[in-house]
Amino acid sequence: MKGKSLYWQIPLLVFLIAGTFFIARQNRNERLIAQQHQNDYQRDEGEVFGTFYHVTYQAPGSLKSSIDEALAQVDGEFSMFNEHSTVAAINRGEDPLRSSMFEEVYRLSQQVTADTDGAFDITVAPLVNAWGFGFKNEQMPTSEQVDSLLKIRNQMDFSAIAKGYGCDMVARTLEAHGVTNYMVEIGGEVVTRGRNSQQQQWKIGVSKPSEDIQTQEGDGLQAILTVSDAAMATSGNYRNFYYKGGRKYAHTIDPRTGYPVQHELLSATVLAPRCAVADAYATAFMVLGLDSARQVLQRHPEMQAYLIYTDADGRLAEWHSPSLQFTTP
């Protein structure tokens, strides 16, 4: 009986050994496939709009020339650093031909302006400059000067939407080349699709606000958001401000009043299907403040937000859309 028992165990032993080899081979194949995916990912970077761009994408070769070409088109329309751009010509009083790209972004700007009761406004640049930003003019404007500038709306500045639109254009370019896994980042504005080189969802950090204007500290993260097949933009006033007469003046100017906003909202991160949309609404939210921003979000289920503010005791607090996926460091 003992020999017979051993006889029947031999097939089982062979099966276990074969299964072990099969699993080992499968694991090896999966590692090789993952390695291949990782090796296929390209990383390009450069300068645009007075800042830097970084693009990571899965493709057999570099598409940097196509990326640069797409960004050059956006720069040629909206850059405040390019004296030959369409917006620069308009601000000089010229009447250049407006391309379909220009009209697309202009219409979107007007839509966000209407939807936020004027909190987003591409003609706010003269007021921003008067309050000491843009050209670093530290002379406080008088109420008469503010009133006068409120009536002058002939200067356009697309800085609060151009980086987001640039991300969208690069994303379109990548997709036109068949790319389905990528992350585009321009000056903090982001568009993602598919998976990263580790075959995981893209994770984007949101900086923790800091008011240390001497050391510009605050590089720690407040949250890490899962940005999957979406666009993300962040606007904040906690690193660009000055004190005068014991008051804190932020770089966010309310286009409706002509004065810097003074409320509890420190940072607004918006997720939307398009980065230009996320960019514009993030800026608008910094004007509107916490409660009004949440009211706007109620009208837009396609958008999500992560808002950082100071509570009644002066401590950092956060509010986020219920469906937003994130982790805290």
Side-chain angles (χ1 to χ4, degrees), residues 179-295:
V179 177
T180 57
N181 295 308
Y182 60 78
M183 181 187 74
V184 180
E185 182 265 330
I186 302 178
E189 322 303 9
V190 177
V191 176
T192 72
R193 185 179 177 189
R195 302 276 172 158
N196 61 22
S197 61
Q198 304 301 318
Q199 298 305 298
Q200 298 175 347
Q201 292 180 309
W202 298 96
K203 307 285 187 179
I204 311 296
V206 176
S207 295
K208 181 177 294 185
S210 170
E211 293 191 353
D212 192 334
I213 59 176
Q214 298 299 323
T215 62
Q216 292 291 281
E217 292 179 353
D219 292 330
L221 296 180
Q222 177 81 10
I224 301 174
L225 277 56
T226 299
V227 185
S228 180
D229 297 331
M232 172 184 135
T234 298
S235 182
N237 65 20
Y238 50 88
R239 287 191 182 182
N240 197 358
F241 64 88
Y242 61 85
Y243 285 96
K244 195 173 185 69
R247 300 184 68 184
K248 173 183 171 183
Y249 292 87
H251 85 290
T252 302
I253 307 300
D254 190 334
R256 302 164 300 183
T257 66
Y259 288 85
V261 298
Q262 293 183 346
H263 52 57
E264 73 281 13
L265 189 59
L266 299 177
S267 172
T269 297
V270 177
L271 275 68
R274 297 171 57 194
C275 200
V277 173
D279 203 0
Y281 275 96
T283 300
F285 287 174
M286 289 307 304
V287 172
L288 292 171
L290 180 63
D291 293 336
S292 295
R294 291 172 61 178
Q295 291 175 11

Side-chain angles (χ1 to χ4, degrees), residues 7-22:
Y7 173 79
W8 284 105
Q9 289 181 13
I10 291 175
L12 177 61
L13 181 61
V14 172
F15 175 79
L16 291 174
I17 293 173
T20 301
F21 278 113
F22 176 77

Side-chain angles (χ1 to χ4, degrees), residues 49-80:
F49 312 143
T51 187
F52 298 92
Y53 75 80
H54 303 86
V55 185
T56 301
Y57 55 98
Q58 186 181 25
S62 175
L63 297 171
K64 190 174 190 303
S65 60
S66 296
I67 292 170
D68 287 339
E69 182 180 349
L71 290 173
Q73 292 178 17
V74 181
D75 184 87
E77 298 290 343
F78 307 108
S79 177
M80 302 298 290

Side-chain angles (χ1 to χ4, degrees), residues 24-42:
R25 188 173 69 175
Q26 285 292 101
N27 290 339
R28 178 175 177 273
N29 289 340
E30 289 176 0
R31 286 195 300 270
L32 289 174
I33 292 173
Q35 184 67 35
Q36 168 121 27
H37 284 319
Q38 185 172 356
N39 291 339
D40 284 346
Y41 276 76
Q42 313 293 325

